[in-house]
Amino acid sequence: MLNPKKLLTIVLLSGSTLSYAQVKLPIAVNLQNTYLKGTRTTGGAPGKNYWQNTADYAIKVSFNPQNLNLSGTVAIDYINNSPDTLTTVQFKLYPNLYKKGVIRDMPVAAADLTDGVHIQSLSINNQLQDSTKRKIDGTNMMLHVQPILPKQHVHFDIAYAYTLNKTSHIRTGQIDSGAFFVAYFFPRIAVYDDIDGWNQYPYLGSQEFYNDFCHFNAEITVPSNYQVWATGNLKNTDEVYQPKYAKLITQAGASDQVTDIITEADVKAGNITKNNATNTWKFEADSVTDLVFATSNHYIWKASSLVVDPKTSRRTRVDAVFNPVHKDYFEVVNYARKTVETMSYQFPKWPYPYPHETVFDGLDQMEYPMMVNDNPLEETADAIELTDHEIFHTMFPFYMGTNETKYGWMDEGWATIAEWLISPVIDTKIVDIYGVGPTENSAGNEQDAPIMTLTPQLTGIAKFTDSYPKPALAYLYIKDMLGDELFTKALHYYISQWHGKHPMPYDFFNCINTGSGTNLNWFWKNWFFDNGVPNLAISKVNNLQQKYTVTITSIGTKPVPVNLTVYYTDGSKQLVHQSIACWAKGNKSTTVKFTAIKPVKQMILGTTYDPDTDKKDNVWRP
């Protein structure tokens, strides 16, 4: 948790006429300093001195499916946009999660332990660097360099190799003998930002990632009977595919219908790719935080596309690439397409930002720019919920550049509320309660912690609840309180200010305050900074000629909306609702009033998304 001795308080936004307008949010010194330096503002927008570093990556690798060896080179043109002179450069060697002796928080099979990433050579500005200038510690590599001045460009060339994991599939690795999802496969420069300087958090397996927005060109060489799918646009379709399939890819990118680009019959017949010993697949992606690829010699491919921006008629192609033995996957392209459509037109109602989204049949449940690695699932609801959850990550963290390592809630919370909202659009029978039960059951116990606790500091159930359901509930309550129109306006303000950048939590809080014109600090403090339990009760019911006044008491200290369902004797029902704003002034009770149109059988307090630690006092009967 945050050290109280290291905290200051500031008013994030003032001027509201409400009595709680001067609620202050605690803020750590290093975050407070961003305002003093002018890199961020208390209104939420980036400051006049905001900066971030970037790079241009040229990656050339060969992957051997037989021995799982990946080797190649990466050339990096790095730009130091910071005001600081850099004497070291921090690299991330994510495959070292599988290196012998490395500390990790997830199990790895002994058969997958390797010697890690082998750096064969490393040059700076064409000058070969002695290995003594670099220190590798787990997934971090620190390189001592000649001072890199502000605004200076530096060129790195690295030759490297490592062995992909065959089992212990943690987001990447072999899926079967002819299918592989290959992520985090190249040395990359860590984020250097205005908050912490170099991102030195090691990758231990569970916490996720924080990367700069960069430009990528990748050349991936595999045996000729393998296809490759990756982040970015395939630049040499005609060089790697036979004309029939190149035409189908183009067709899918222009059609609302589902196109069978590769079928089981095609795989059986062969002759899909150009008949060379190997083929080199060339991809390009701009302003993305990562690049990954997947490859297979037996997967089939369904694709469709849709207009995601009616102003420009821009289209996004949506792919499902999978093993045909997984029958549930035949519908995934439809779930994925509906997700992209809903994101573009309903929630968050922002045109899908990338040219394609490829859902690949893998062994995990993990998102990447323009790619998803999803395991097959037998239940339709599970497949839908997984598909929309992972695709929604396109916005958070990839379009918004949040620091998942420190603030898991800034992306997982959004993917969770998206799962709740989008899944019923795809299938109206779905009521998704992902994480609500664990939130309710763990509230107030010794593992429970405020959402603002840094993700690496979380243990037990809080590692899940603080990243997924608790922030999702908060977003849901704010959406309800502001109303869809104002909430969308506020969310769009946040997105417009910070897409392609690196927002911190206070940038989000401030942007929603500013974008909605409402000081919500009372809510941010209660839900994100404070401990507490959600516990409402029906404490009093008055009935005067069928005009009911019901007193609801907040026994706990974590506010939730008031949802009172009135059940009538004829089987009908009525919902009486108050948004979470009813608790804004710190009051411990509120009243709801309604006129009963028929004899009342009972009243029950709470709905699907209202956790309550004691429901015995949530029922009233006359």
Side-chain angles (χ1 to χ4, degrees):
M1 295 176 64
L2 295 175
N3 185 342
K5 295 180 181 179
K6 295 284 183 75
L7 297 181
L8 298 175
T9 57
I10 63 169
V11 179
L12 293 184
L13 187 70
S14 58
S16 171
T17 59
L18 298 176
S19 63
Y20 50 83
Q22 296 305 311
V23 169
K24 299 177 181 180
L25 302 185
I27 181 167
V29 170
N30 60 322
L31 305 185
Q32 167 80 359
N33 286 340
T34 65
Y35 301 121
L36 302 178
K37 293 184 292 188
T39 55
R40 298 165 196 262
T41 68
T42 57
K48 63 179 182 179
N49 297 327
Y50 180 79
W51 55 266
Q52 63 193 47
N53 291 350
T54 187
D56 192 321
Y57 285 80
I59 304 165
K60 297 181 179 180
V61 295
S62 295
F63 176 65
N64 185 332
Q66 298 301 313
N67 60 16
L68 305 185
N69 179 260
L70 185 145
S71 61
T73 62
V74 56
I76 308 171
D77 287 306
Y78 184 68
I79 305 173
N80 177 23
N81 288 318
S82 82
D84 305 326
T85 297
L86 306 178
T87 58
T88 60
V89 175
Q90 179 88 46
F91 284 79
K92 295 296 181 182
L93 304 178
Y94 292 126
N96 276 359
L97 182 70
Y98 291 93
K99 187 177 181 179
K100 298 169 185 174
V102 164
I103 296 173
R104 62 185 72 84
D105 62 9
M106 300 181 73
V108 168
D112 271 337
L113 294 177
T114 70
D115 294 327
V117 178
H118 175 49
I119 304 295
Q120 296 163 331
S121 65
L122 191 156
S123 297
I124 303 177
N125 293 332
N126 299 317
Q127 297 295 313
L128 188 64
Q129 302 296 298
D130 189 277
S131 61
T132 60
K133 291 187 177 182
R134 59 182 182 262
K135 178 183 178 182
I136 297 176
D137 182 9
T139 56
N140 288 340
M141 180 175 75
M142 183 64 76
L143 180 67
H144 292 277
V145 298
Q146 292 294 321
I148 303 173
L149 302 178
K151 305 303 180 183
Q152 186 175 352
H153 293 225
V154 182
H155 182 82
F156 298 86
D157 285 296
I158 304 174
Y160 70 102
Y162 77 95
T163 301
L164 187 72
N165 50 298
K166 186 175 182 178
T167 57
S168 313
H169 192 104
I170 303 172
R171 303 189 176 99
T172 181
Q174 179 171 318
I175 298 162
D176 60 36
S177 60
F180 310 84
F181 198 98
V182 187
Y184 326 118
F185 66 95
F186 56 95
R188 65 172 305 149
I189 298 177
V191 174
Y192 184 87
D193 67 19
D194 62 321
I195 297 173
D196 297 321
W198 288 115
N199 168 28
Q200 299 190 50
Y201 285 93
Y203 173 44
L204 303 178
S206 61
Q207 281 97 34
E208 296 183 6
F209 304 93
Y210 183 37
N211 294 312
D212 274 322
F213 287 87
C214 298
H215 180 265
F216 294 91
N217 275 287
E219 298 185 10
I220 301 159
T221 300
V222 295
S224 65
N225 59 330
Y226 278 79
Q227 298 176 68
V228 177
W229 298 263
T231 301
N233 293 317
L234 179 61
K235 306 298 288 185
N236 64 332
T237 306
D238 293 335
E239 293 178 9
V240 292
Y241 277 111
Q242 298 291 351
K244 169 186 175 181
Y245 302 102
K247 183 178 179 180
L248 286 171
I249 293 169
T250 300
Q251 177 183 317
S255 174
D256 291 344
Q257 305 302 313
V258 174
T259 299
D260 288 307
I261 297 176
I262 307 295
T263 66
E264 292 181 75
D266 293 324
V267 172
K268 185 176 181 180
N271 201 37
I272 296 170
T273 56
K274 289 298 178 69
N275 188 22
N276 304 307
T278 62
N279 287 315
T280 298
W281 302 67
K282 300 177 182 180
F283 295 89
E284 183 176 14
D286 193 25
S287 295
V288 294
T289 57
D290 203 0
L291 183 142
V292 302
F293 74 90
T295 184
S296 176
N297 63 3
H298 65 284
Y299 273 25
I300 67 174
W301 182 3
K302 289 179 174 288
S304 179
S305 68
L306 68 153
V307 173
V308 294
D309 187 351
K311 293 181 180 179
T312 63
S313 298
R314 181 172 59 82
R315 302 182 74 91
T316 291
R317 193 191 72 233
V318 182
D319 307 318
V321 179
F322 59 99
N323 188 332
V325 302
H326 298 145
K327 300 304 180 185
D328 57 298
Y329 238 100
F330 280 82
E331 289 299 316
V332 165
V333 67
N334 296 315
Y335 309 152
R337 188 183 192 280
K338 192 64 177 179
T339 298
V340 170
E341 179 185 19
T342 306
M343 289 174 63
S344 299
Y345 294 99
Q346 292 178 242
F347 180 77
K349 206 172 183 179
W350 189 277
Y352 201 79
Y354 298 119
H356 77 85
E357 180 63 44
T358 301
V359 183
F360 194 83
D361 179 2
L363 295 176
D364 212 299
Q365 302 183 352
M366 187 61 191
E367 69 283 353
Y368 312 84
M370 305 182 218
M371 297 283 287
V372 168
N373 178 10
D374 278 355
N375 60 291
L377 294 164
E378 292 184 4
E379 297 295 327
T380 297
D382 291 340
I384 290 172
E385 291 160 10
L386 174 59
T387 300
D388 56 39
H389 180 109
E390 303 304 343
I391 291 178
F392 199 86
H393 276 300
T394 295
M395 294 298 296
F396 308 91
F398 300 129
Y399 194 60
M400 298 299 291
T402 57
N403 186 344
E404 300 174 276
T405 305
K406 288 174 67 176
Y407 317 115
W409 61 270
M410 291 189 75
D411 73 299
E412 294 296 354
W414 285 112
T416 301
I417 184 179
E419 179 182 331
W420 295 344
L421 296 176
I422 295 176
S423 297
V425 175
I426 300 173
D427 185 338
T428 57
K429 299 187 294 296
I430 293 177
V431 179
D432 188 347
I433 59 172
Y434 178 65
V436 179
T439 299
E440 188 173 80
N441 296 334
S442 65
N445 72 22
E446 62 184 354
Q447 290 185 350
D448 194 17
I451 295 172
M452 281 294 289
T453 307
L454 294 184
T455 301
Q457 298 173 2
L458 294 171
T459 59
I461 189 63
K463 292 180 71 173
F464 169 69
T465 57
D466 273 7
S467 291
Y468 294 81
K470 285 168 65 175
L473 289 168
Y475 303 150
L476 194 67
Y477 299 158
I478 288 291
K479 181 175 183 290
D480 174 52
M481 179 171 63
L482 295 178
D484 285 349
E485 183 176 352
L486 186 55
F487 175 79
T488 300
K489 178 184 176 183
L491 182 56
H492 282 192
Y493 181 76
Y494 171 50
I495 294 172
S496 66
Q497 293 297 320
W498 286 99
H499 75 81
K501 301 182 179 70
H502 294 312
M504 67 178 183
Y506 295 84
D507 299 322
F508 164 68
F509 300 141
N510 290 338
C511 277
I512 300 300
N513 285 358
T514 299
S516 66
T518 308
N519 190 315
L520 300 168
N521 286 355
W522 69 273
F523 178 79
W524 305 133
K525 186 175 186 301
N526 195 297
W527 260 90
F528 287 82
F529 293 83
D530 295 345
N531 276 316
V533 298
N535 183 7
L536 301 185
I538 301 173
S539 55
K540 187 178 180 180
V541 178
N542 287 330
N543 176 16
L544 182 61
Q545 296 181 339
Q546 297 302 97
K547 295 187 177 184
Y548 282 83
T549 299
V550 182
T551 301
I552 308 297
T553 299
S554 180
I555 297 174
T557 54
K558 189 73 72 177
V560 293
V562 172
N563 287 296
L564 184 70
T565 303
V566 181
Y567 293 86
Y568 295 106
T569 54
D570 67 353
S572 61
K573 61 184 179 180
Q574 173 186 357
L575 178 66
V576 184
H577 170 73
Q578 284 188 3
S579 80
I580 202 167
C582 68
W583 308 111
K585 297 183 180 181
N587 47 303
K588 296 299 292 181
S589 66
T590 187
T591 58
V592 295
K593 299 180 180 181
F594 68 95
T595 299
I597 54 177
K598 305 166 188 174
V600 173
K601 178 181 180 181
Q602 64 177 353
M603 302 178 200
I604 298 179
L605 184 64
T607 57
T608 301
Y609 301 108
D610 305 329
D612 194 311
T613 57
D614 182 6
K615 296 184 178 180
K616 295 190 297 295
D617 47 19
N618 288 15
V619 179
W620 178 87
R621 297 184 179 91

